[in-house]
Amino acid sequence: MPRDTVPIPGKIEKIEILSHDGKLDTKLEPKLPDADLRKLFRYMLFTRMLDERCLHLQRQGRIGTYGPCKGQEATPLGVAYHLRKEDWFVPSYRELSGFLWRGWPVDRYMLWWGGHEIGSSIPPEVNDTPICVPIASQVQYAAGIAWGAKLRKDGTVVACFCGDGGTSEGDFHEGMNYATVFKVPLVMIVQNNQWAISVPRHKQTASQTIAQKAVAYGIDAMIVDGNDILAVLVAAKEAIDKARNGGGPTLIEAITYRLSMHTTADDPKKYRSEAEVKSWEAKDPLPRFRDYLRKKKLLDEKIEAVMEEDIRNELDTAVAKYEQYRHDPYAMFDYMYAQMTPELARQKQELKAALGGDVAPQRETARTHG
Amino acid sequence: MPRDTVPIPGKIEKIEILSHDGKLDTKLEPKLPDADLRKLFRYMLFTRMLDERCLHLQRQGRIGTYGPCKGQEATPLGVAYHLRKEDWFVPSYRELSGFLWRGWPVDRYMLWWGGHEIGSSIPPEVNDTPICVPIASQVQYAAGIAWGAKLRKDGTVVACFCGDGGTSEGDFHEGMNYATVFKVPLVMIVQNNQWAISVPRHKQTASQTIAQKAVAYGIDAMIVDGNDILAVLVAAKEAIDKARNGGGPTLIEAITYRLSMHTTADDPKKYRSEAEVKSWEAKDPLPRFRDYLRKKKLLDEKIEAVMEEDIRNELDTAVAKYEQYRHDPYAMFDYMYAQMTPELARQKQELKAALGGDVAPQRETARTHG
Amino acid sequence: MTDVALLVDVGLSFRDDLGIGGPARLDRKQAMAQLTMVKALNLALTEVMRENPNVMMMGQDVGIDEGVFRVTEGLLKEFGEDRVVDTPLAEAGIVGSAVGLCMKGFLPVCEMQFDGFSYQAFHQVEGHVRRLRNRTRGRFTCPMVIRMPYGGGIRAIEHHSEAPEATYAHLAGLKVVLPSGPRNARALLRAAILDPDPVVVLEPKAIYRAFREEVPDAPETMPIGKGVIARPGKDVTIITYAAMVRTVLEAAEELAEEHGVDAEVVDLLSVAPIDNDLINASVRKTGRAVVVHESYRHCGVGGEIVARIVEDSLMYLEAPIKRVTGYDTIIPFFANEQNWLPSSAKVVSAALETVRF
Amino acid sequence: MTDVALLVDVGLSFRDDLGIGGPARLDRKQAMAQLTMVKALNLALTEVMRENPNVMMMGQDVGIDEGVFRVTEGLLKEFGEDRVVDTPLAEAGIVGSAVGLCMKGFLPVCEMQFDGFSYQAFHQVEGHVRRLRNRTRGRFTCPMVIRMPYGGGIRAIEHHSEAPEATYAHLAGLKVVLPSGPRNARALLRAAILDPDPVVVLEPKAIYRAFREEVPDAPETMPIGKGVIARPGKDVTIITYAAMVRTVLEAAEELAEEHGVDAEVVDLLSVAPIDNDLINASVRKTGRAVVVHESYRHCGVGGEIVARIVEDSLMYLEAPIKRVTGYDTIIPFFANEQNWLPSSAKVVSAALETVRF
Ligand SMILES: Cc1ncc(C[n+]2csc(CCOP(=O)(O)OP(=O)(O)O)c2C)c(N)n1
Ligand SMILES: Cc1ncc(C[n+]2csc(CCOP(=O)(O)OP(=O)(O)O)c2C)c(N)n1
Ligand SMILES: [Mg+2]
Ligand SMILES: [Mg+2]
């Protein structure tokens, strides 16, 4: 074949099950126990309400800058649902629904945004990694955890998340390459929410889809409507099962939208139209899932009201717990090394002297300084 | 389409024209002037002989560690042939044939391997960048040069080279992404010589071809037999023309083989079989092109003998020139900044004191130390 | 071997009469505007971009969003998409492609969105930006600027409060400047862009909007590598830079008012090159020194300053030199960051110990 | 808050009686083998990998090729592909995936093929490796080793002769060790692997095979952060580490023989933590100091050492402290690198100036 077109290897599948206008593909509809469906909804709602509460706390200066996840509740939840406890959930920072599902305490989430390291301290019984700030850097350790899982032959799977913007970083590429070369049990989910702060998806990469980046690593990909939790559940299950069975990584592009600002420091009006936001509000995962469950008679206004009330109470408790937290001003020295170095011991004494001797754990609200 | 396979966008073409056993696809055969064909051959031969000479110089301790390019002469040459003077040639380190075609002085090449910065100082009339040691880092500046060309609207094109191993680096990914997002006139050639030192191609990436990595960036790719200069000439022309006409980047995977060691510090017997090397020796680009030209009556043993004799003389002259080079021991201070800082001036004095005053330019052969 | 032609080429004129001092030396008669540092930096960018069509501004969200701190406000509108570029999310991509742009004669100003993400580009800075001139014996140069918000104090999340000046200053071939107020920020950024070599501009984000300063109408440059006396004094020299200049000046007031100690405050403005003469002249006068910076102490700029004093002025020293710095720990998440940062109180007690030694 | 359990867990026993000294202190009766540093490092790796199945060796060409310097000779054969891994060509990938392996309980030893390419992984080291324990309040830790051939002197091409110790030492959360001979190389690498925190091991490639040393049969560790007196003396303290220890010892001989100057040579072995007590004890004894290292002077480890001396022992100083270092230029391509590197002659004249001050 002196000159020929070579077929491009690989497969991209696209899955939508519950459309934003309520159309349901019953053939593809996942068959989950009713209780689970309701529980998923509760987590979705909880996420939405916690997110709102955090915005509120931020406005009152009770936490710092906050990065909301409104509109992106379905994807992390649908993925987390199919993970086992022993599996690993490796988030970026917009996977609140997944954190909650996995058992991350609510007050720890607030503590993170409130400027406390303890917010990164995942409870010992949960195999999550904390919020990861340097974009896409988590893809590298996700690949490493999954590699470790393969070496340990312990049958665990890693689900890792990043954003559409994250795919531009070298770390995304290197992590994907390692994961695929070593054929590790990794499910890589890109939450394509159309924006990386002010940079729209089409300025981020010239590829028509994010999913097709899988071709570069010789693996298959899926595109799901990331606002359709049913589609996410189906895609995630397939990818997780495949990973668990030694089939290696899958790339999932979840098409979604950041309905709110990038963070509370951001003003999205500067770079995107109201009309665009409106059009995506119509695709909001939460009402969509609610309507589905109502049709199934798993929800009604009364149940929802009780749910909301319960959640509100839980949030109140969590906020109270958050605000009771007292941090140790000297703890900065204590976790640098397993054994404190002489120099750090000396510097700890310096700080003690500066603070006028041993100071009891402090309560510093977000307003204390600045 | 609730569940569907999405076609993967993009196109990969494969081009072979002159097979290693002499079969020629006359329909695809590029129509170059006879003089150019002969000139190309002369450069190929020159490259081979210079490469051998450098190995020899290294063994005698007259240059340092040397990285040969034996077997990879066709690709850089075929690409460079279609570049205009104003275009840019951005190599890695195995593109000797291209350097020569572009007008890089032979003694400068030796000076580079002899440990002299002047070997990186490209003559002002040549738009080349010097040998680039950190793998794939050149892809980033190649993208930048091409971007600059687009901004300047000067109609120039950039041809950048890296190895199969290089595609694993984050820099390759980021550079390709920038080049494609900004749709710059870049032709990215990956010399897939099957090995990255001791790491075989299949351990470098799980993708079936290097070419398909283009899909990740939404562009087309070509696979050429990199040992077939006719195929390279055709592919390069198309990609360069496309770039020049605003069509954006193309990824070319040139399938070739490193016939020699990685560098003189390397022992390939540790990691690859004699049989494999033998099988590729049969595909050597040099005899293949020579036979083609002989069939065309553009070469015969006599012409070749004269050519070899001429080249040998040129190499002798270059070696003599190389060995006459005297470097200024203080030059290390002179090119750090446009204007020397006071601290560097002080340190320069320190060195002068240490060397016992102003020292004339030195002759340091590779054997002087260590 | 100095490339004088190039100096002229990019319009570099480090004439001394254009050099301005710190806040204490604003004595020329000119129309003045009261600007924050953000506005002053924006002004410098606008001015240089108007003067020289080769200057480009590139980075994440620097275009339509006008920078997350709004330093690039109005630039996209005035100069268009070719010159003010929203790049894909890759720091090494920004810096690496800027190296190529330099080879095509552009003067790119690269924004790293935060100090903590500049490390993603580190290998391009180390491997190419700082080496290009030397490696090619002047055939190619890298007249780019890498600017980034620097340091702590704004209650930001992890990786947004880093102080990497020593890391950059250690890399031969770079220049590293740190403005301490609106006026010198504008002058230093201008100087950095016009400089024929790569300059890292670390902009103390804690004072981006903390105060305003009079800034003259006409563009100014400052010589890179020269510090200023921010407050003259005779009892002890306190050497510092960036946001810490304010902290130290506050400490100096307290030292004067409460303790009768007259501190001289040196604002370095640049840590590579560093103003050896100024440091030593002041220490020779006072005989005592304290160094203050917010980055890690270990192998920080403070050690370098001490070594410079010891090399040139040991015999003038009447007391050990104290370093008041960030501790050798990860800078705490923001609830506790103020305990990590040098404070005016910490400076006062270090100065008193030094004076009372 | 120290994680004592973990210390015990990974078998760490920094008992003082196991601590060994420099070349001068090889006094225990044991079977000895004459090894080069490469062989000694190889021995350490082999020993630890035999003892602990969680130890992995990973990097470019560390498997079938046994490392470009052959430090990993025999490992693939003995421990198999799962534990000795030829990685794809991406340094951040090596270090970043190793962070994940740590979370799964492995103890990865990452090889950077050369010092000059470790910068490609810098953001992973800065952003995760050194932060993981603190960020998670001990939930996750990073007991990895990043080892690399270090420094100049082997006539290698560009980027193969870098000395990044100050860059790593400045990053709080890392430990940085630099062996100076086969025996301490083996002991330090072992200690680094067993250490519950990340350790950067910089292996001076100039002395990889330059000489042999007796190495006992039984595995040894050395406490990280402690230096040794490589040569006792009374007139001037010369503080150094890595390949420069040999250079300095040579200079010390010349000083003694030709100039009657008795130099004490301190081999730091670790620059983070740094052995403050040893440095100051020696300087208090001699009253004079010279610091020698091959990396850039500006913001290098030398400045830190001077600052430590000034902080603790200023009043013992009888002369300025000289720094003999690589210059603040890109290390020249190899034909001229010897003029850049500190030499025994440069050390002698600095020491004489200091003594005769
Ligand atoms: C390495 C790095 N560079 C820059 C930033 C600053 N930053 C924070 S979020 C963000 C955009 C991320 O976009 P995307 O990956 O699409 O995620 P999204 O915020 O949309 O969820 C940027 C540039 C960062 N956190 N890390
Ligand atoms: C960033 C970086 N990492 C490691 C190396 C060391 N190294 C030099 S060549 C090489 C292999 C390169 O393989 P490939 O890209 O396929 O090019 P080839 O040598 O086969 O032409 C390696 C690992 C380097 N030069 N740069
Ligand atoms: Mg996004
Ligand atoms: Mg190769």
Side-chain angles (χ1 to χ4, degrees):
Chain A
M1 40 147 241
R3 177 157 198 156
D4 214 344
T5 300
V6 182
I8 300 174
K11 194 172 78 170
I12 305 178
E13 276 197 289
K14 190 162 183 173
I15 307 181
E16 293 164 356
I17 297 177
L18 179 65
S19 77
H20 68 274
D21 46 3
K23 277 185 222 109
L24 176 71
D25 188 319
T26 47
K27 277 201 298 291
L28 294 181
E29 185 188 6
K31 303 288 175 257
L32 266 58
D34 287 351
D36 283 13
L37 286 170
R38 204 154 29 203
K39 189 171 163 200
L40 283 168
F41 178 76
R42 189 181 199 279
Y43 272 87
M44 213 187 259
L45 184 64
F46 198 116
T47 305
R48 181 67 56 95
M49 289 173 68
L50 170 52
D51 202 47
E52 274 162 16
R53 183 69 68 102
C54 285
L55 274 177
H56 198 66
L57 290 173
Q58 190 280 332
R59 270 187 229 109
Q60 297 177 313
R62 292 156 75 189
I63 61 172
T65 304
Y66 179 67
C69 66
K70 186 179 173 188
Q72 298 184 223
E73 296 89 348
T75 298
L77 199 53
V79 173
Y81 176 83
H82 286 297
L83 291 177
R84 297 181 187 159
K85 196 168 155 38
E86 322 83 70
D87 291 337
W88 287 72
F89 184 84
V90 178
S92 170
Y93 46 83
R94 264 190 235 289
E95 291 76 22
L96 174 54
S97 58
F99 297 150
L100 296 173
W101 184 270
R102 298 279 297 167
W104 219 13
V106 177
D107 62 306
R108 292 258 172 114
Y109 182 72
M110 294 172 180
L111 283 164
W112 196 91
W113 294 103
H116 298 281
E117 283 82 356
I118 196 73
S120 281
S121 187
I122 310 297
E125 66 279 7
V126 179
N127 276 339
D128 282 15
T129 54
I131 286 180
C132 180
V133 173
I135 299 294
S137 62
Q138 74 275 16
V139 181
Q140 303 260 30
Y141 56 71
I145 298 170
W147 182 8
K150 183 179 176 182
L151 292 173
R152 293 253 182 262
K153 299 188 178 62
D154 61 11
T156 59
V157 167
V158 178
C160 177
F161 293 80
C162 83
D164 45 319
T167 64
S168 296
E169 286 279 2
D171 276 349
F172 174 83
H173 178 67
E174 297 187 5
M176 286 300 291
N177 192 46
Y178 272 56
T180 48
V181 163
F182 296 120
K183 212 175 178 196
V184 304
L186 176 74
V187 180
M188 181 68 221
I189 302 103
V190 177
Q191 288 208 65
N192 173 3
N193 65 1
Q194 314 306 325
W195 292 92
I197 309 187
S198 71
V199 179
R201 158 61 190 81
H202 70 91
K203 285 194 173 183
Q204 196 62 246
T205 165
S207 71
Q208 295 82 343
T209 63
I210 300 277
Q212 76 199 59
K213 291 182 186 292
V215 175
Y217 312 106
I219 57 165
D220 292 342
M222 290 192 244
I223 300 177
V224 292
D225 178 345
N227 288 3
D228 167 7
I229 191 168
L230 302 184
V232 175
L233 284 163
V234 167
K237 181 164 173 33
E238 288 181 17
I240 291 170
D241 286 351
K242 175 176 144 196
R244 205 179 308 280
N245 297 326
T250 304
L251 178 65
I252 298 180
E253 174 180 5
I255 310 235
T256 180
Y257 194 79
R258 164 167 62 74
L259 286 175
S260 191
M261 63 278 265
H262 172 69
T263 67
T264 48
D266 175 47
D267 173 13
K269 293 210 184 68
K270 287 193 72 110
Y271 52 78
R272 68 186 190 183
S273 71
E274 288 291 313
E276 178 183 308
V277 179
K278 280 254 141 47
S279 78
W280 279 93
E281 272 167 357
K283 302 182 196 164
D284 189 332
L286 185 77
R288 199 192 300 189
F289 192 37
R290 185 183 49 215
D291 292 348
Y292 168 76
L293 294 179
R294 281 187 186 176
K295 272 189 204 150
K296 273 184 150 349
K297 308 276 183 243
L298 294 174
L299 283 184
D300 59 28
E301 276 180 24
K302 214 173 112 192
I303 301 177
E304 288 161 36
V306 173
M307 227 182 230
E308 272 184 41
E309 180 63 26
D310 284 357
I311 293 172
R312 204 164 294 121
N313 286 337
E314 273 189 59
L315 290 177
D316 291 345
T317 311
V319 171
K321 192 164 174 208
Y322 158 66
E323 300 214 304
Q324 263 154 36
Y325 179 74
R326 300 285 175 274
H327 76 264
D328 173 0
Y330 309 112
M332 65 174 96
F333 299 101
D334 296 336
Y335 297 96
M336 290 303 295
Y337 302 99
Q339 204 155 17
M340 195 183 291
T341 63
E343 180 60 27
L344 281 186
R346 181 160 146 163
Q347 294 184 8
K348 189 172 178 178
Q349 287 312 315
E350 254 183 54
L351 178 59
K352 284 196 175 161
L355 297 182
D358 256 314
V359 167
Q362 297 175 350
R363 169 82 204 119
E364 290 188 76
T365 70
R367 265 178 291 181
T368 315
H369 315 283
Chain B
M1 42 145 236
R3 175 154 198 160
D4 215 346
T5 299
V6 182
I8 300 174
K11 194 171 80 170
I12 305 178
E13 277 198 287
K14 188 161 183 175
I15 306 182
E16 295 164 355
I17 297 177
L18 180 66
S19 75
H20 67 273
D21 47 4
K23 277 184 221 109
L24 177 70
D25 188 319
T26 47
K27 276 201 299 291
L28 295 180
E29 186 187 6
K31 303 288 175 255
L32 267 57
D34 287 351
D36 284 12
L37 286 170
R38 203 155 30 204
K39 190 172 164 202
L40 283 168
F41 178 77
R42 189 183 198 280
Y43 272 87
M44 213 187 262
L45 184 64
F46 198 117
T47 305
R48 181 67 57 97
M49 289 172 71
L50 170 51
D51 202 48
E52 273 162 15
R53 183 69 67 103
C54 286
L55 274 176
H56 198 67
L57 290 173
Q58 190 280 332
R59 270 186 228 108
Q60 297 177 312
R62 292 156 76 188
I63 61 171
T65 303
Y66 178 67
C69 66
K70 184 178 176 190
Q72 299 185 221
E73 296 90 349
T75 298
L77 198 54
V79 173
Y81 176 81
H82 286 296
L83 291 178
R84 298 182 186 157
K85 197 168 155 36
E86 322 82 72
D87 292 336
W88 287 73
F89 184 84
V90 178
S92 169
Y93 46 84
R94 265 193 235 286
E95 291 75 23
L96 173 55
S97 60
F99 298 149
L100 296 172
W101 185 268
R102 298 278 297 166
W104 219 13
V106 177
D107 63 306
R108 292 258 172 114
Y109 182 73
M110 293 173 180
L111 283 163
W112 196 92
W113 294 104
H116 299 282
E117 283 83 356
I118 196 72
S120 282
S121 187
I122 310 297
E125 67 280 8
V126 179
N127 276 339
D128 282 15
T129 54
I131 286 180
C132 181
V133 173
I135 299 294
S137 62
Q138 73 276 15
V139 181
Q140 303 260 29
Y141 57 72
I145 298 170
W147 182 9
K150 183 179 176 184
L151 293 173
R152 293 253 183 261
K153 299 189 179 58
D154 61 10
T156 59
V157 167
V158 178
C160 176
F161 293 80
C162 82
D164 45 319
T167 64
S168 295
E169 286 279 1
D171 276 349
F172 174 82
H173 178 66
E174 297 186 7
M176 286 300 290
N177 191 46
Y178 272 55
T180 47
V181 162
F182 297 120
K183 212 175 177 195
V184 304
L186 175 74
V187 180
M188 181 68 221
I189 301 102
V190 177
Q191 289 209 65
N192 173 2
N193 65 2
Q194 315 305 325
W195 293 91
I197 309 187
S198 71
V199 179
R201 159 58 191 83
H202 70 92
K203 284 195 174 183
Q204 196 63 244
T205 165
S207 72
Q208 295 82 343
T209 63
I210 299 279
Q212 75 199 59
K213 291 182 186 292
V215 175
Y217 313 107
I219 57 164
D220 293 341
M222 290 193 244
I223 300 177
V224 292
D225 179 344
N227 288 3
D228 167 8
I229 191 167
L230 301 184
V232 175
L233 283 162
V234 168
K237 180 165 173 30
E238 289 182 17
I240 290 170
D241 286 351
K242 174 177 144 197
R244 206 180 305 284
N245 296 325
T250 304
L251 177 65
I252 298 180
E253 174 180 3
I255 310 233
T256 180
Y257 194 80
R258 163 167 63 74
L259 285 174
S260 191
M261 63 279 266
H262 171 70
T263 67
T264 48
D266 175 48
D267 173 13
K269 292 209 184 70
K270 287 193 72 110
Y271 52 80
R272 67 187 192 184
S273 69
E274 288 290 314
E276 178 183 307
V277 180
K278 281 255 140 50
S279 78
W280 279 94
E281 271 166 357
K283 302 181 195 166
D284 188 332
L286 185 77
R288 200 192 299 189
F289 192 37
R290 185 182 50 214
D291 292 347
Y292 168 78
L293 294 178
R294 281 188 184 174
K295 274 188 200 149
K296 275 182 150 346
K297 308 273 181 246
L298 295 174
L299 283 184
D300 58 29
E301 275 180 24
K302 214 173 116 194
I303 302 177
E304 289 159 38
V306 173
M307 226 183 233
E308 272 183 43
E309 179 65 24
D310 284 356
I311 293 172
R312 203 164 294 120
N313 286 337
E314 272 188 63
L315 290 177
D316 291 344
T317 311
V319 171
K321 191 164 174 210
Y322 158 68
E323 300 215 304
Q324 263 155 35
Y325 179 75
R326 299 286 176 274
H327 76 266
D328 173 1
Y330 309 112
M332 65 174 96
F333 300 100
D334 297 335
Y335 297 95
M336 290 303 296
Y337 302 100
Q339 204 156 17
M340 195 182 294
T341 63
E343 179 61 28
L344 281 187
R346 183 162 144 160
Q347 294 184 8
K348 190 172 178 177
Q349 286 314 314
E350 253 182 56
L351 178 59
K352 282 195 176 159
L355 297 182
D358 257 314
V359 168
Q362 297 176 349
R363 169 80 203 120
E364 290 190 75
T365 70
R367 265 179 291 182
T368 315
H369 315 283
Chain C
M1 306 239 174
T2 305
D3 215 336
V4 181
L6 185 59
L7 272 168
V8 175
D9 227 39
V10 296
L12 192 76
S13 62
F14 279 160
R15 278 182 291 138
D16 256 345
D17 55 350
L18 281 183
I20 59 159
R25 284 176 51 194
L26 301 178
D27 46 11
R28 286 183 299 150
K29 288 194 195 70
Q30 268 199 306
M32 297 277 184
Q34 286 279 349
L35 300 183
T36 61
M37 187 184 285
V38 161
K39 288 279 180 202
L41 290 163
N42 179 259
L43 180 62
L45 287 168
T46 308
E47 287 164 348
V48 186
M49 291 189 78
R50 279 184 192 153
E51 293 162 25
N52 189 333
N54 288 322
V55 178
M56 289 174 65
M57 179 70 231
M58 54 195 285
Q60 294 150 14
D61 308 291
V62 301
I64 188 162
D65 200 34
E66 306 185 303
V68 292
F69 287 100
R70 305 289 179 257
V71 172
T72 54
E73 202 172 297
L75 298 185
L76 174 64
K77 217 165 163 188
E78 178 166 351
F79 303 107
E81 278 198 342
D82 278 358
R83 294 185 60 200
V84 181
V85 187
D86 279 324
T87 61
L89 213 173
E91 289 73 16
I94 297 170
V95 172
S97 62
V99 171
L101 288 165
C102 286
M103 295 191 206
K104 286 292 282 190
F106 290 92
L107 301 174
V109 180
C110 301
E111 176 173 306
M112 302 282 103
Q113 196 161 81
F114 280 93
D115 34 44
F117 312 126
S118 73
Y119 299 107
Q120 262 75 353
F122 197 64
H123 59 287
Q124 283 286 340
V125 176
E126 195 282 329
H128 294 304
V129 172
R130 73 187 186 103
R131 290 175 187 260
L132 201 57
R133 177 190 293 276
N134 181 68
R135 172 193 293 152
T136 66
R137 289 299 186 239
R139 163 73 204 273
F140 297 119
T141 60
C142 225
M144 72 165 70
V145 167
I146 302 175
R147 41 167 297 270
M148 66 190 87
Y150 158 91
I154 63 153
R155 307 186 62 76
I157 60 174
E158 202 188 353
H159 304 282
H160 289 66
S161 306
E162 308 305 309
E165 72 270 25
T167 304
Y168 289 109
H170 184 56
L171 293 187
L174 298 178
K175 298 179 181 180
V176 184
V177 301
L178 302 104
S180 60
R183 185 166 177 182
N184 60 37
R186 178 205 190 196
L188 283 170
L189 178 54
R190 180 179 177 81
I193 299 172
L194 298 182
D195 196 285
D197 287 300
V199 183
V200 176
V201 179
L202 302 172
E203 306 167 355
K205 60 177 96 78
I207 54 171
Y208 257 166
R209 298 171 197 282
F211 61 99
R212 288 166 190 277
E213 217 173 52
E214 301 214 328
V215 166
D217 278 355
E220 295 180 308
T221 64
M222 291 182 82
I224 291 177
K226 294 262 169 261
V228 293
I229 303 291
R231 180 192 194 280
K234 59 180 193 340
D235 297 333
V236 57
T237 299
I238 312 184
I239 301 150
T240 189
Y241 49 86
M244 286 300 123
V245 172
R246 298 257 293 176
T247 308
V248 168
L249 286 172
E250 205 183 293
E253 286 317 302
E254 188 183 326
L255 284 165
E257 280 164 29
E258 322 237 316
H259 306 282
V261 171
D262 185 18
E264 175 145 309
V265 179
V266 173
D267 177 359
L268 285 177
L269 292 166
S270 166
V271 297
I274 206 161
D275 195 341
N276 213 38
D277 294 347
L278 185 69
I279 294 168
N280 279 289
S282 177
V283 173
R284 286 178 182 212
K285 187 173 72 176
T286 64
R288 292 161 203 274
V290 173
V291 183
V292 182
H293 59 64
E294 62 179 281
S295 66
Y296 307 121
R297 182 175 306 169
H298 194 64
C299 295
V301 171
E304 180 62 33
I305 294 169
V306 174
R308 299 294 186 110
I309 296 169
V310 169
E311 269 155 22
D312 289 0
S313 311
L314 176 69
M315 293 305 145
Y316 295 82
L317 273 186
E318 288 171 42
I321 302 171
K322 293 233 159 255
R323 289 184 286 175
V324 181
T325 65
Y327 304 114
D328 290 316
T329 74
I330 309 296
I331 179 169
F333 284 18
F334 65 78
N336 201 25
E337 73 171 323
Q338 290 297 335
N339 283 329
W340 185 87
L341 288 167
S343 64
S344 144
K346 290 177 187 172
V347 175
V348 166
S349 61
L352 288 179
E353 272 188 75
T354 306
V355 170
R356 291 173 186 160
F357 181 79
Chain D
M1 305 237 174
T2 305
D3 215 334
V4 181
L6 185 59
L7 270 168
V8 175
D9 227 40
V10 296
L12 191 76
S13 61
F14 278 161
R15 278 181 290 138
D16 256 342
D17 55 352
L18 280 184
I20 60 159
R25 284 177 51 194
L26 301 179
D27 45 13
R28 286 185 298 150
K29 288 192 194 71
Q30 268 199 307
M32 299 277 185
Q34 286 279 349
L35 299 184
T36 61
M37 188 184 285
V38 161
K39 286 281 181 202
L41 291 163
N42 179 259
L43 180 61
L45 287 168
T46 308
E47 287 164 347
V48 187
M49 291 189 78
R50 279 183 192 155
E51 293 162 26
N52 189 333
N54 289 321
V55 178
M56 288 174 65
M57 180 69 230
M58 53 196 284
Q60 293 150 14
D61 308 291
V62 300
I64 188 163
D65 201 33
E66 306 185 304
V68 292
F69 287 101
R70 305 288 178 259
V71 173
T72 54
E73 202 172 297
L75 298 186
L76 175 65
K77 216 166 164 186
E78 178 166 352
F79 302 107
E81 277 198 342
D82 278 357
R83 295 185 61 198
V84 181
V85 187
D86 279 323
T87 61
L89 214 172
E91 289 74 13
I94 296 170
V95 172
S97 62
V99 171
L101 287 166
C102 287
M103 295 192 209
K104 287 291 282 188
F106 289 93
L107 300 175
V109 180
C110 301
E111 177 173 306
M112 301 282 101
Q113 196 161 82
F114 280 92
D115 34 46
F117 312 127
S118 72
Y119 300 106
Q120 262 75 352
F122 197 63
H123 59 288
Q124 283 286 340
V125 176
E126 194 281 330
H128 294 304
V129 172
R130 72 187 188 103
R131 291 174 186 261
L132 201 56
R133 176 189 293 275
N134 180 68
R135 172 193 292 150
T136 66
R137 289 299 187 241
R139 165 71 205 273
F140 297 119
T141 60
C142 225
M144 72 165 69
V145 166
I146 302 175
R147 42 167 296 270
M148 65 190 86
Y150 158 93
I154 63 154
R155 307 186 64 76
I157 60 174
E158 202 189 354
H159 305 280
H160 289 66
S161 306
E162 309 305 308
E165 71 270 26
T167 304
Y168 289 109
H170 185 56
L171 292 187
L174 298 177
K175 298 180 181 180
V176 184
V177 301
L178 302 104
S180 59
R183 186 167 176 182
N184 59 39
R186 177 202 188 201
L188 283 170
L189 179 54
R190 179 179 176 81
I193 300 172
L194 298 182
D195 195 285
D197 288 300
V199 183
V200 177
V201 179
L202 301 172
E203 305 167 355
K205 60 178 96 76
I207 53 171
Y208 258 166
R209 296 171 198 282
F211 60 100
R212 289 166 190 275
E213 217 174 52
E214 300 216 327
V215 166
D217 278 356
E220 294 180 307
T221 64
M222 290 182 82
I224 292 175
K226 294 260 168 262
V228 293
I229 303 291
R231 180 191 193 283
K234 60 180 191 339
D235 297 333
V236 55
T237 299
I238 312 182
I239 301 151
T240 190
Y241 48 87
M244 286 301 124
V245 173
R246 299 257 293 176
T247 308
V248 168
L249 286 172
E250 204 182 295
E253 286 317 301
E254 189 182 327
L255 283 165
E257 281 164 28
E258 321 235 314
H259 306 282
V261 171
D262 185 18
E264 174 146 309
V265 179
V266 172
D267 178 358
L268 285 177
L269 292 167
S270 165
V271 296
I274 206 163
D275 196 340
N276 213 38
D277 293 347
L278 184 69
I279 294 169
N280 279 290
S282 177
V283 174
R284 285 179 182 211
K285 188 173 72 176
T286 63
R288 295 161 200 273
V290 173
V291 183
V292 182
H293 59 65
E294 62 179 281
S295 66
Y296 307 123
R297 183 175 306 169
H298 194 64
C299 296
V301 171
E304 180 62 32
I305 294 168
V306 174
R308 299 294 186 109
I309 295 169
V310 168
E311 269 155 22
D312 289 1
S313 311
L314 176 70
M315 294 305 146
Y316 296 82
L317 273 186
E318 289 170 42
I321 302 171
K322 293 232 158 258
R323 289 184 287 174
V324 181
T325 65
Y327 303 115
D328 291 315
T329 75
I330 308 296
I331 179 169
F333 284 17
F334 66 78
N336 201 25
E337 73 171 325
Q338 290 296 335
N339 283 328
W340 185 88
L341 288 167
S343 63
S344 145
K346 290 176 188 173
V347 175
V348 166
S349 60
L352 289 179
E353 271 188 75
T354 306
V355 170
R356 292 172 186 160
F357 181 79

